[in-house]
Amino acid sequence: MTTDQEISMSVTETGATVWLTGLPSAGKTTIAYELAGRLRADGHRVEVLDGDEIREFLSAGLGFSREDRHTNVQRIGFVAELLAANGVKVLVPVIAPYADSRDAVRKRHQQEGTAYLEVHVATPVEVCSARDVKGLYARQAAGEISGLTGVDDPYEAPGSPDLRIESHQQTVQESAAALRALLTERGLA
């Protein structure tokens, strides 16, 4: 049974898309899930659109050419905006290496009047390579793969993100707290 308070809360919830961009193994997904837990604990509706899951289920068949990466980012941006427009805090930890692709997502949100924050998880490639969560850097170094973002494929860092997190200089909890503070400051949490 739904209470009046639950109905009121769901009707007045302000959605937003928080796009976490950065190199592979920068800490985007880890920070997103930490923040998601904090937001849920405070009663917010939250979804994490993990880049790996999106590639498997929504963008299966796309490769890693510039055009395919752009298509992938636009699909994710569409779903994120749709959810955010309906009162969900959408956390999007996706590499999204090209500025024009991220800008198109931002513009879509602006056209729809939906809040959008871009967060650059600015971890140096040397740190990402040492973390190598998925073994991508080792595979690239061994010549098994090519086109690794930030190594032999470009990554266009955001020039003026809403927040820059240097995850190599703070804990996951500190990173999530900084992002939560930004959401609060903007009236979104």
Side-chain angles (χ1 to χ4, degrees):
M1 184 170 214
T2 306
T3 67
D4 289 339
Q5 183 181 7
E6 288 172 328
I7 292 170
S8 174
M9 205 169 100
S10 66
V11 171
T12 60
E13 180 77 15
T14 300
T17 295
V18 179
W19 197 283
L20 295 97
T21 179
L23 297 174
S25 297
K28 301 175 301 295
T29 302
T30 304
I31 294 166
Y33 279 107
E34 175 69 23
L35 178 61
R38 291 174 183 217
L39 291 170
R40 285 186 185 113
D42 288 340
H44 295 280
R45 297 180 340 173
V46 181
E47 288 296 332
V48 177
L49 298 182
D50 181 277
D52 292 334
E53 291 175 0
I54 295 292
R55 278 246 176 221
E56 182 179 350
F57 297 107
L58 185 62
S59 294
L62 289 179
F64 292 91
S65 68
R66 184 179 179 104
E67 182 179 323
D68 282 357
R69 288 177 191 238
H70 179 76
T71 298
N72 184 50
V73 168
Q74 297 317 296
R75 288 178 182 176
I76 297 167
F78 172 79
V79 172
E81 195 283 323
L82 186 64
L83 288 167
N86 285 282
V88 178
K89 305 286 187 286
V90 186
L91 310 179
V92 186
V94 177
I95 295 168
Y98 302 112
D100 62 342
S101 296
R102 294 188 309 266
D103 288 346
V105 171
R106 180 186 293 274
K107 285 178 186 164
R108 174 182 193 79
H109 280 72
Q110 288 172 338
Q111 289 169 349
E112 300 298 326
T114 306
Y116 176 89
L117 300 174
E118 183 177 67
V119 178
H120 181 206
V121 183
T123 309
V125 70
E126 300 80 23
V127 174
C128 294
S129 179
R131 289 178 181 170
D132 205 7
V133 176
K134 299 174 194 162
L136 297 174
Y137 292 92
R139 290 180 58 206
Q140 191 276 337
E144 296 173 16
I145 62 170
S146 63
L148 181 59
T149 302
V151 178
D152 60 351
D153 207 55
Y155 176 74
E156 300 169 356
S160 56
D162 295 284
L163 179 65
R164 190 174 318 276
I165 293 175
E166 296 190 13
S167 70
H168 59 292
Q169 296 182 347
Q170 60 191 39
T171 67
V172 171
Q173 293 75 21
E174 290 168 335
S175 296
L179 188 43
R180 176 62 191 264
L182 176 65
L183 286 167
T184 300
E185 173 187 308
R186 301 282 175 93
L188 300 170

